[in-house]
Amino acid sequence: MKLFNKYILGLMAMAIALFSCEENIHETKYAGERRVQFDLSQNLVAAEGGDEAVIAVLLDQPLSSDLTVSLDIETINAVEGEDFQLSSGSIVVKAGELSGAISLTAIPDTEISDVDRIVNFSIASVSDPEVVVGFSDGTERTSVSAEIKDKVYKGVTMADDDSGDQWEFVTQVIDNGDGTHTILNAWGEYVYFYTQNPAYIGAFDAVVIISIGDDGAVTVVDQSPYCQVTDITYDVAADKYSIKLLDVDVFNGGPYPYITTLQP
């Protein structure tokens, strides 16, 4: 009996030792000062109809419970709900993980912005008061900025007037969400190119609505009455449009064609 009791006591001592070891491992894993900061390696540009900006935070060590990082948000030339939308106003890092993130999506519109649209984020508070904001290795990233970009394509256009002259204009390709795209061309700048009358700059937007097939084939759905698309192709791999247009009743002696290649 004494031998049996000693055996039982030995097993109990071993169990206590193993349990204590597990507790010590657990405490060691989550012990010490814990820190959080922004991850600036993520994509921070939200393009209309393109990539989302990612607002992410990093922990220097995992925690045993979820951490909620509340954000202060400041906008410059941008309005939430009109220019962009956020997946959340705070970031959650799950227990046992080292990072968490939210997304910022640009809302497509029909205008090209001539000002920088910026959304600034800073850490307002964290749900665990023992977590310090900013790593201790000199990389205290306590704020981050995301930028909203138009889906803008730039192109150099050669007008077919045998002069060899070129001029550059900006246009925008908008994804309408129904399988069609709208191309906004600065037709007034084409008119200015020929007339050299600055009054035409910013006037006469030439709107062309197209659909793009899976094979890249382009179909013209609708277009402005004073321009006519005679040829248009889209290179899926290069994300590039090649367009040939004719003016219709804009100039005497026409029509005058011009050819442009548009790419980001």
Side-chain angles (χ1 to χ4, degrees):
M1 181 63 72
K2 289 182 178 180
L3 183 61
F4 178 77
N5 288 339
K6 287 182 178 180
Y7 177 73
I8 295 299
L9 289 173
L11 289 177
M12 292 176 62
M14 186 180 295
I16 292 171
L18 289 173
F19 179 77
S20 298
C21 183
E22 290 180 357
E23 283 296 301
N24 289 337
I25 291 172
H26 182 79
E27 290 172 1
T28 300
K29 184 177 181 181
Y30 300 115
E33 191 174 60
R34 297 156 295 179
R35 292 175 173 269
V36 64
Q37 68 178 18
F38 284 109
D39 179 5
L40 303 189
S41 67
Q42 300 295 324
N43 173 53
L44 292 170
V45 177
E48 292 183 0
D51 296 333
E52 297 177 337
V54 178
I55 315 303
V57 295
L58 291 173
L59 286 170
D60 63 343
Q61 59 182 297
L63 304 179
S64 57
S65 59
D66 291 356
L67 179 73
T68 299
V69 179
S70 299
L71 302 172
D72 277 334
I73 303 171
E74 176 193 27
T75 60
I76 301 175
N77 302 319
V79 178
E80 186 171 2
E82 294 182 12
D83 298 299
F84 70 95
Q85 60 186 19
L86 291 173
S87 60
S88 177
S90 60
I91 302 174
V92 176
V93 182
K94 295 293 186 181
E97 297 183 3
L98 287 173
S99 64
I102 61 172
S103 61
L104 183 151
T105 304
I107 299 175
D109 56 37
T110 58
E111 296 182 0
I112 298 176
S113 176
D114 57 359
V115 296
D116 292 333
R117 293 179 291 172
I118 305 294
V119 184
N120 296 320
F121 299 86
S122 58
I123 297 176
S125 63
V126 293
S127 58
D128 186 339
E130 295 184 4
V131 174
V132 179
V133 177
F135 285 5
S136 59
D137 60 357
T139 59
E140 297 182 0
R141 302 181 180 121
T142 58
S143 63
V144 68
S145 297
E147 184 177 5
I148 300 168
K149 285 285 191 180
D150 289 305
K151 185 65 172 179
V152 174
Y153 291 74
K154 294 179 73 71
V156 175
T157 298
M158 173 71 76
D160 188 13
D161 61 357
D162 297 324
S163 69
D165 291 335
Q166 298 178 356
W167 96 105
E168 185 176 284
F169 70 96
V170 177
T171 191
Q172 185 179 28
V173 179
I174 302 167
D175 186 343
N176 298 322
D178 60 357
T180 65
H181 293 68
T182 298
I183 302 176
L184 302 179
N185 290 306
W187 189 259
E189 299 188 20
Y190 164 71
V191 178
Y192 166 67
F193 173 77
Y194 278 106
T195 66
Q196 294 300 300
N197 184 346
Y200 291 113
I201 296 178
F204 304 122
D205 278 336
V207 178
V208 180
I209 301 176
I210 61 172
S211 64
I212 305 173
D214 293 338
D215 58 354
V218 177
T219 302
V220 176
V221 178
D222 196 9
Q223 56 189 323
S224 300
Y226 45 82
C227 71
Q228 178 182 353
V229 176
T230 60
D231 184 54
I232 180 169
T233 58
Y234 175 65
D235 186 330
V236 177
D239 193 16
K240 179 173 66 177
Y241 292 87
S242 296
I243 306 168
K244 184 174 182 179
L245 291 140
L246 290 173
D247 76 82
V248 179
D249 297 327
V250 176
F251 304 110
N252 292 328
Y256 299 99
Y258 79 91
I259 302 171
T260 185
T261 298
L262 307 174
Q263 62 185 89

